Amino acid sequence: MLVLGIETSCDETGVAIYDSEQGLLGHELYSQVELHAKYGGVVPELASRDHVRKLIPLIKQLLTKINIKSSDINGIAYTAGPGLIGALLVGAAVGRSLAWAWQIPAIGVHHLEGHLLATMLESSIPSFPFLTLLVSGGHTQLMQVNAIGQYSLLGESVDDAAGEAFDKTAKLLGLGYPGGPALAKLATQGNPETFHFSRPMTKQPGLNFSFSGLKTQVLTTWQNQESKNEQVKADIARAFEDAVIDTLIIKCKRAIKQTNLDSLVIAGGVGANQRLRESMTIFTEQIGVKLFYPRPIFCTDNGAMIAYAGALRLMKGQCEPLEFSAHPRWPLANQT
Ligand code: KG4
Ligand code: ZN
């Protein structure tokens, strides 16, 4: 079965073709970074309009590149939420319209299910059940994945998501948008010994996270510096990154102990962070847990994860009627 995946939940237009027999045939990604950069963050209305402009040309470009005719496609999967409502509606409307025109089934996919399953596009994959740390711009969650569609939430952020903390901290250090990768790059120049920030909510029991206090610690530290030079900024970036990574590792360790699971998957945009990947590798090797993560481009938003998650559901015969809806907020648990 050949499935076209469409991702338009935020500031990336992603499309992909997944073949249930041969795997991923191709994917294309158009990032709106340049469009939003001058505003210092994503402007929802501009995001929707740009998806309108880019989505259909991107689908055409992909089909030409991998030499697939529209008549070869057997199903369509589009992100139905959570995300920006206008942006979601573009993907949903195009996905449903193409499905109607081509007389094939279509399905709305949960964006976080896409992130959770993105690792399945790689050559080495975990077996069920496994633990997933989902760290994106909108969510920080620890999930137990028992089977496709059977997800139980073990803990989540009570305020900012890890990616959001990266973005906000980057902004107050004047690094602009997109903040996460810029802050991570600057942190490579930083001295880890100069500053120390707390590891939030690690002294209390439980698997929830809180990252909003970290940006206040960064702000106060930055404001208190007499010389606000690039080295100080890099040292702060490094200390912030260390605090986030340590916190994530402490909670993963706790979740592994609580669940007894022996496989850990890192998913979502922050999973592209090189130092997080290295630190998680060392930590899991020490405790004998298998670690899995998607390649960096499939950690951040992309069409391939949506095509994959949608293909699994379409193959089970699931699809939706012609009318459709999108959900700006949508809990992931119980997706069966
Ligand atoms: O999964 P994603 O693309 O979108 C959401 O579903 O939210 O995640 C985007 C988030 C942003 O907050 C971005 O700053 C962060 O992932 N991110 C990173 C890195 N690359 C992306 N954070 C830290 N280091 C990175 N290398
Ligand atoms: Zn995402």
Side-chain angles (χ1 to χ4, degrees):
M1 179 179 217
L2 246 60
V3 176
L4 167 66
I6 297 175
E7 156 61 37
T8 62
S9 67
C10 190
D11 56 350
E12 253 122 18
T13 317
V15 297
I17 296 281
Y18 181 80
D19 179 350
S20 55
E21 268 148 42
Q22 297 179 61
L24 187 68
L25 299 187
H27 69 104
E28 291 290 324
L29 193 71
Y30 175 80
S31 166
Q32 301 180 349
V33 162
E34 267 180 47
L35 177 70
H36 302 293
K38 56 178 173 294
Y39 303 99
V42 179
V43 183
E45 183 54 26
L46 294 183
S48 318
R49 291 185 206 180
D50 213 43
H51 287 307
V52 169
R53 273 191 290 270
K54 296 291 169 9
L55 182 52
I56 289 179
L58 207 61
I59 294 171
K60 283 187 179 158
Q61 185 182 318
L62 173 65
L63 297 188
T64 309
K65 191 167 160 187
I66 60 176
N67 202 15
I68 296 280
K69 295 192 290 297
S70 57
S71 55
D72 296 334
I73 298 172
N74 311 109
I76 297 185
Y78 56 87
T79 304
L84 302 172
I85 186 67
L88 289 167
L89 283 171
V90 177
V94 169
R96 288 250 46 126
S97 307
L98 289 177
W100 178 74
W102 296 341
Q103 293 292 295
I104 55 174
I107 190 155
V109 168
H110 198 296
H111 182 76
L112 298 185
E113 183 172 51
H115 277 307
L116 276 191
L117 300 178
T119 198
M120 299 301 192
L121 293 162
E122 305 304 340
S123 50
S124 156
I125 61 167
S127 35
F128 298 109
F130 55 83
L131 182 71
T132 294
L133 172 69
L134 200 151
V135 269
S136 70
H139 297 82
T140 300
Q141 299 185 331
L142 272 162
M143 312 274 303
Q144 175 160 340
V145 179
N146 293 318
I148 303 291
Q150 286 177 27
Y151 313 120
S152 57
L153 182 65
L154 304 174
E156 64 183 333
S157 179
V158 295
D159 42 53
D160 291 354
E164 191 177 357
F166 264 91
D167 295 338
K168 287 179 175 172
T169 303
K171 198 167 184 175
L172 61 89
L173 289 176
L175 302 177
Y177 153 92
L183 192 140
K185 191 166 172 229
L186 184 64
T188 61
Q189 313 298 316
N191 179 349
E193 308 300 332
T194 316
F195 299 105
H196 181 86
F197 299 125
S198 62
R199 278 52 177 154
M201 284 184 86
T202 53
K203 298 253 158 56
Q204 299 105 297
L207 297 173
N208 283 344
F209 305 86
S210 164
F211 290 111
S212 74
L214 270 180
K215 64 176 184 294
T216 318
Q217 289 183 44
V218 167
L219 182 63
T220 322
T221 308
W222 178 238
Q223 281 171 343
N224 288 342
Q225 297 310 305
E226 275 177 21
S227 72
K228 293 187 172 52
N229 59 40
E230 279 307 300
Q231 189 55 50
V232 172
K233 211 186 255 192
D235 293 349
I236 292 179
R238 175 63 195 254
F240 167 83
E241 193 180 58
D242 281 352
V244 174
I245 293 174
D246 265 8
T247 305
L248 294 174
I249 289 179
I250 291 167
K251 296 289 172 161
C252 284
K253 200 178 202 168
R254 222 176 257 180
I256 289 164
K257 202 167 166 209
Q258 182 180 311
T259 58
N260 244 335
L261 295 169
D262 66 355
S263 299
L264 173 66
V265 170
I266 312 292
V270 183
N273 183 283
Q274 203 48 44
R275 286 203 43 253
L276 174 67
R277 294 165 86 98
E278 285 162 15
S279 308
M280 282 287 179
T281 305
I282 295 169
F283 148 69
T284 48
E285 273 170 10
Q286 277 166 355
I287 59 166
V289 159
K290 293 180 276 271
L291 179 67
F292 302 85
Y293 35 65
R295 66 197 86 162
I297 194 168
F298 291 163
C299 283
T300 46
D301 292 349
N302 64 86
M305 66 184 192
I306 303 303
Y308 177 76
L312 295 181
R313 290 179 175 276
L314 288 164
M315 280 191 299
K316 280 202 281 180
Q318 294 180 15
C319 67
E320 279 158 18
L322 281 177
E323 62 274 20
F324 63 88
S325 56
H327 319 282
R329 289 171 184 271
W330 193 8
L332 176 62
N334 305 324
Q335 284 294 312
T336 41

